[in-house]
Amino acid sequence: MAKEYSGSPKPHQLESKRKRLTWVLGVSGLCILFYVLGAWQTTTTPINQSEVYTTRVSCNINAPQAGDGELNPSSLSSSAALDFESHHQIEINSTVSLHEFPPCDMSYSDYTPCQDPVRSRKFDREMAKYRERHCPKSEELLRCLIPAPPKYKTPFKWPQSRDYAWYDNIPHKELSIEKAGQNWIQVEGHRFRFPGGGTTFPNGADAYIDNINELIPLTGGNIRTAVDTGCGVASWGAYLLKRDILTMSFAPRDTHEAQVQFALERGVPAMIGVISSKRLPYPARAFDMAHCSRCLIPWYMYDGLYLLEVDRVLRPGGYWILSGPPIHWKKYWRGWERTKEDLKQEQDTIEDIAKRLCWKKLIEKNDLAIWQKPINHIDCNKSKVVYKTPQICGPDNPDTAWYKDMEACITPLPEVSSSDEVAGGALEKWPERAFSVPPRISSGSLSGITAEKLREDNELWKDRMTYYKKIDGLFHKGRYRNVMDMNAYLGGFAAAMSKYPVWVMNVVPFHSNPDTLGAIYERGLIGTYQDWCEAFSTYPRTYDLIHASGVFSIYQDRCDITNILLEIDRILRPEGTVIFRDTVEMLLKIRSITEGMRWKSQIMDHESGPFNPEKILFAAKTYWTGASK
């Protein structure tokens, strides 16, 4: 007989099924709700409500293979490519025609807006003020594209470029004639050759640097950053690179045509600049070494003002090297066409200024003299009883250097507790220095930036570099040499690039808060302050790769972003690349402008995925040249 049950199981099974169904539907509903909210949050709304979008944006570009100066979207992995339409329902008005920017006249091929020789004639010649930055007003800005010379060629790859450049890229023979006997530059057929010579080192920069190395140690990682004032074609900086010393070389745009342009064409760090009445655009305590080889700077004039500026940018314990007049004047005075008395007085004045700066003269041997800045100001403050001037500067920020007048006072060093302590903190040796915590961060002097934030930034750049390398050819050996980061923050991009055969100009907008350029130098990197509403102090066609993270969101309310893009086009080499990181709306604006500048581009997802509101625009400047006359 079958066993009897007191109740049927069916009602319990139905109840269980209903509960499971309710749970599944509830979870599914929540998933859909959060997906819709996430998609809504990452869809941007135009700031300018008058921009009515009527057709959908397409990012599919039929571009040639990488290496032809345009991006190749097909080279992206399936995980990296962005299906822009499916993620972002933003439409753009197709009835508005894109503005096409015409080429400028060929006379502007080497145009440097803020160091224009024609404009400079209007300014005071005292202290060479006319060679400082004098930028055009907004109504004077060119709204055309700076043309490359008619026969422009892709520059030689590094390291060959250190010694060679195409004549057609910089068709200026003036230096090869004017400095013919000093081995600066020679013309060999269709190319220039740079033997590494200089006015005071006709046997070559390499031999000259070896002479310096016998007097102070250039190897071992203690000296990493240097500044070369009045650099010529920057041979000193070029040959220091193989010793892992990174030099900021600068020279004015003067009668020695295209000095800085030659340096950059060769892949050597350089910019247009002059010691005059304004501070150099670098922070205090930036360089481990400063150098002048017959740089024609009157160090003995203006109460030592120029040496005071070198002292400001020189790190505690840093070296100043001087060769050329008046050093070794007893041997060379006839060739310099000056009297013994004149040269002796000049050197005596320099020696006196150095003493008042508390510098120690280490050695004078043959054509070289070397001084060393103290590691702190404990003894210097005591010596002021003897040397009444110059006084220590007031509490003004010593890093302020954008259109800031020089001051006839000693820039104070951070206080220390003992005479053997390095003011501001000691640095690690290179290459450990690149990823160690800079003293400005460890001391807490940069508000809101901690060692943990630096570590996070380094990790962030590891991920970004991995993502960037998915773009075909982006970091092929030799494709890029001169690189710029327009908004460098802590220098993470440059540090991540240090394993490649490139150098990076780290630019910190002058109004940044906190000001991070000093920390970038403490990492063993170089850079400068800049206002991107103005032109950069360089020649056209000097950078291969430019990184612009958040720059246009920063400047959109300060000045016309079209002018910033035209400036990027000016300083970017034909077939060069720009990486923009910004909001979708801003990137669409940038893309619409650059299409009228003969660029090709593609918008891609953020490395973290499609729901990050920040996107990436990879853009390439196409190859074109001016017409022959």
Side-chain angles (χ1 to χ4, degrees), residues 105-134:
D105 185 83
M106 272 303 299
S107 61
Y108 289 99
S109 183
D110 291 335
Y111 183 52
T112 53
C114 297
Q115 283 93 5
D116 180 24
V118 176
R119 180 180 291 103
S120 69
R121 295 173 193 152
K122 304 175 184 178
F123 297 93
D124 192 354
R125 300 186 72 84
E126 184 187 3
M127 298 179 71
K129 291 179 182 179
Y130 71 105
R131 286 181 176 157
E132 291 183 314
R133 284 176 60 88
H134 302 290

Coordinates of all heavy atoms in Angstrom, one line a residue, residues 105-134:
D105 N 52.4 82.3 -46.5 CA 53.4 82.5 -47.5 C 54.7 81.9 -47.1 O 55.0 81.7 -45.9 CB 53.6 84.0 -47.7 CG 54.6 84.4 -48.8 OD1 54.1 84.4 -50.0 OD2 55.8 84.6 -48.5
M106 N 55.5 81.4 -48.1 CA 56.8 80.8 -47.8 C 57.7 81.6 -46.9 O 58.6 81.1 -46.3 CB 57.5 80.3 -49.0 CG 57.1 79.0 -49.6 SD 57.3 77.6 -48.4 CE 59.1 77.7 -48.1
S107 N 57.5 82.9 -46.9 CA 58.4 83.8 -46.1 C 58.2 83.5 -44.6 O 59.1 83.9 -43.8 CB 58.1 85.2 -46.4 OG 56.8 85.6 -46.1
Y108 N 57.1 82.8 -44.2 CA 56.9 82.5 -42.8 C 57.3 81.0 -42.5 O 57.0 80.5 -41.4 CB 55.4 82.6 -42.5 CG 54.9 84.0 -42.5 CD1 54.2 84.6 -43.6 CD2 55.0 84.8 -41.3 CE1 53.7 85.9 -43.5 CE2 54.6 86.1 -41.3 CZ 53.9 86.6 -42.4 OH 53.5 87.9 -42.4
S109 N 58.1 80.4 -43.3 CA 58.5 79.0 -43.1 C 59.2 78.8 -41.8 O 59.1 77.7 -41.2 CB 59.3 78.5 -44.3 OG 59.6 77.1 -44.1
D110 N 60.0 79.8 -41.4 CA 60.8 79.7 -40.1 C 60.2 80.6 -39.1 O 60.9 81.1 -38.2 CB 62.3 80.0 -40.4 CG 62.9 78.9 -41.2 OD1 62.4 77.7 -41.2 OD2 63.9 79.2 -41.9
Y111 N 58.9 80.9 -39.1 CA 58.3 81.9 -38.3 C 58.3 81.5 -36.8 O 57.9 80.4 -36.4 CB 56.9 82.2 -38.7 CG 56.1 83.3 -38.0 CD1 56.7 84.5 -37.8 CD2 54.9 83.0 -37.5 CE1 56.0 85.5 -37.1 CE2 54.2 84.0 -36.8 CZ 54.7 85.3 -36.6 OH 54.0 86.2 -36.0
T112 N 58.8 82.4 -36.0 CA 58.8 82.2 -34.5 C 58.0 83.4 -33.9 O 58.6 84.5 -33.7 CB 60.2 82.2 -33.9 OG1 61.0 83.3 -34.3 CG2 60.9 80.9 -34.4
P113 N 56.7 83.3 -33.6 CA 55.9 84.4 -33.3 C 56.4 85.3 -32.2 O 56.3 86.5 -32.3 CB 54.5 83.8 -32.9 CG 54.6 82.5 -33.7 CD 56.0 82.0 -33.7
C114 N 56.9 84.7 -31.1 CA 57.3 85.5 -29.9 C 58.7 86.0 -30.0 O 59.2 86.7 -29.1 CB 57.0 84.8 -28.6 SG 55.2 84.4 -28.4
Q115 N 59.5 85.5 -31.0 CA 60.9 85.9 -31.2 C 61.0 86.3 -32.6 O 62.0 86.0 -33.3 CB 61.9 84.9 -30.8 CG 62.1 84.7 -29.3 CD 61.1 83.7 -28.7 OE1 60.4 83.0 -29.4 NE2 61.2 83.5 -27.3
D116 N 60.1 87.1 -33.1 CA 60.1 87.5 -34.5 C 61.2 88.6 -34.7 O 61.1 89.7 -34.0 CB 58.7 88.0 -35.0 CG 58.7 88.5 -36.4 OD1 59.5 88.0 -37.2 OD2 57.8 89.3 -36.7
P117 N 62.2 88.5 -35.6 CA 63.2 89.5 -35.7 C 62.6 90.9 -36.1 O 63.2 91.9 -35.7 CB 64.1 88.9 -36.8 CG 63.9 87.4 -36.7 CD 62.5 87.3 -36.4
V118 N 61.6 90.8 -36.9 CA 61.0 92.1 -37.4 C 60.3 92.8 -36.2 O 60.6 94.0 -36.0 CB 59.9 91.9 -38.5 CG1 59.3 93.2 -38.9 CG2 60.6 91.2 -39.7
R119 N 59.5 92.1 -35.4 CA 58.9 92.7 -34.2 C 59.9 93.2 -33.2 O 59.7 94.2 -32.5 CB 57.9 91.8 -33.6 CG 57.2 92.4 -32.4 CD 56.2 91.4 -31.8 NE 55.0 91.2 -32.7 CZ 54.8 90.1 -33.4 NH1 55.7 89.1 -33.3 NH2 53.8 90.0 -34.2
S120 N 61.0 92.4 -33.0 CA 62.0 92.7 -32.0 C 62.6 94.1 -32.1 O 63.1 94.6 -31.2 CB 63.0 91.6 -31.9 OG 63.9 91.6 -33.1
R121 N 62.7 94.6 -33.4 CA 63.3 95.9 -33.6 C 62.6 97.0 -32.9 O 63.2 98.1 -32.7 CB 63.4 96.1 -35.1 CG 64.3 95.2 -35.9 CD 64.2 95.4 -37.4 NE 64.8 94.3 -38.1 CZ 64.4 93.9 -39.3 NH1 63.4 94.6 -39.9 NH2 65.0 92.9 -39.9
K122 N 61.4 96.8 -32.5 CA 60.6 97.9 -31.8 C 61.0 98.0 -30.4 O 60.6 99.0 -29.7 CB 59.1 97.6 -31.9 CG 58.6 97.4 -33.3 CD 57.1 97.0 -33.3 CE 56.6 96.7 -34.7 NZ 55.2 96.2 -34.6
F123 N 61.8 97.1 -29.8 CA 62.0 97.0 -28.4 C 63.4 97.5 -28.0 O 64.3 97.5 -28.8 CB 61.7 95.6 -27.8 CG 60.3 95.2 -28.0 CD1 59.9 94.5 -29.2 CD2 59.3 95.6 -27.1 CE1 58.5 94.2 -29.4 CE2 58.0 95.3 -27.3 CZ 57.6 94.6 -28.4
D124 N 63.6 97.8 -26.7 CA 64.8 98.3 -26.1 C 66.0 97.3 -26.3 O 65.9 96.1 -26.1 CB 64.6 98.6 -24.6 CG 65.7 99.4 -24.0 OD1 66.7 99.7 -24.7 OD2 65.5 99.7 -22.8
R125 N 67.1 97.9 -26.8 CA 68.3 97.1 -27.0 C 69.1 96.9 -25.7 O 70.0 96.1 -25.7 CB 69.1 97.6 -28.1 CG 68.4 97.7 -29.5 CD 69.3 98.2 -30.6 NE 70.3 97.1 -31.0 CZ 70.0 96.2 -31.8 NH1 68.8 96.0 -32.4 NH2 71.0 95.3 -32.1
E126 N 68.9 97.7 -24.7 CA 69.6 97.6 -23.4 C 69.3 96.2 -22.8 O 68.2 95.7 -22.8 CB 69.1 98.7 -22.5 CG 69.9 98.6 -21.2 CD 69.4 99.6 -20.1 OE1 68.3 100.2 -20.4 OE2 69.9 99.7 -19.0
M127 N 70.4 95.6 -22.4 CA 70.3 94.2 -21.8 C 69.8 93.2 -22.8 O 69.2 92.2 -22.4 CB 69.5 94.2 -20.5 CG 70.1 95.1 -19.4 SD 69.1 95.1 -17.9 CE 69.4 93.4 -17.3
A128 N 69.8 93.5 -24.1 CA 69.3 92.6 -25.1 C 67.8 92.3 -24.9 O 67.3 91.2 -25.2 CB 70.1 91.3 -25.2
K129 N 67.0 93.3 -24.4 CA 65.6 93.1 -24.1 C 64.9 92.8 -25.4 O 63.8 92.1 -25.4 CB 65.0 94.3 -23.4 CG 65.5 94.5 -22.0 CD 64.9 95.8 -21.4 CE 65.4 96.0 -20.0 NZ 64.9 97.2 -19.4
Y130 N 65.3 93.3 -26.5 CA 64.6 93.1 -27.8 C 64.7 91.6 -28.2 O 63.9 91.2 -29.1 CB 65.2 94.0 -28.9 CG 66.6 93.6 -29.4 CD1 66.8 93.0 -30.6 CD2 67.7 93.9 -28.6 CE1 68.1 92.6 -31.0 CE2 69.0 93.5 -29.0 CZ 69.2 92.9 -30.2 OH 70.4 92.5 -30.7
R131 N 65.5 90.8 -27.6 CA 65.6 89.4 -27.9 C 64.8 88.6 -27.0 O 64.8 87.3 -27.1 CB 67.1 89.0 -28.0 CG 67.8 89.4 -29.2 CD 69.2 89.0 -29.2 NE 69.9 89.4 -30.5 CZ 71.2 89.5 -30.6 NH1 72.0 89.3 -29.6 NH2 71.7 89.9 -31.8
E132 N 64.1 89.2 -26.0 CA 63.3 88.4 -25.1 C 61.9 88.1 -25.9 O 61.8 88.5 -27.0 CB 63.0 89.3 -23.9 CG 64.2 89.4 -23.0 CD 63.9 90.2 -21.7 OE1 63.2 91.2 -21.8 OE2 64.3 89.7 -20.6
R133 N 61.0 87.5 -25.2 CA 59.7 87.1 -25.7 C 58.9 88.4 -25.9 O 58.7 89.1 -24.9 CB 59.0 86.1 -24.8 CG 59.5 84.7 -24.9 CD 58.7 83.9 -23.9 NE 57.3 83.8 -24.2 CZ 56.7 83.0 -25.0 NH1 57.4 82.1 -25.6 NH2 55.4 83.0 -25.1
H134 N 58.4 88.6 -27.1 CA 57.5 89.7 -27.4 C 56.4 89.1 -28.4 O 56.7 89.1 -29.6 CB 58.2 90.9 -28.0 CG 59.3 91.5 -27.2 ND1 59.1 92.2 -26.0 CD2 60.6 91.5 -27.4 CE1 60.2 92.6 -25.5 NE2 61.2 92.1 -26.3

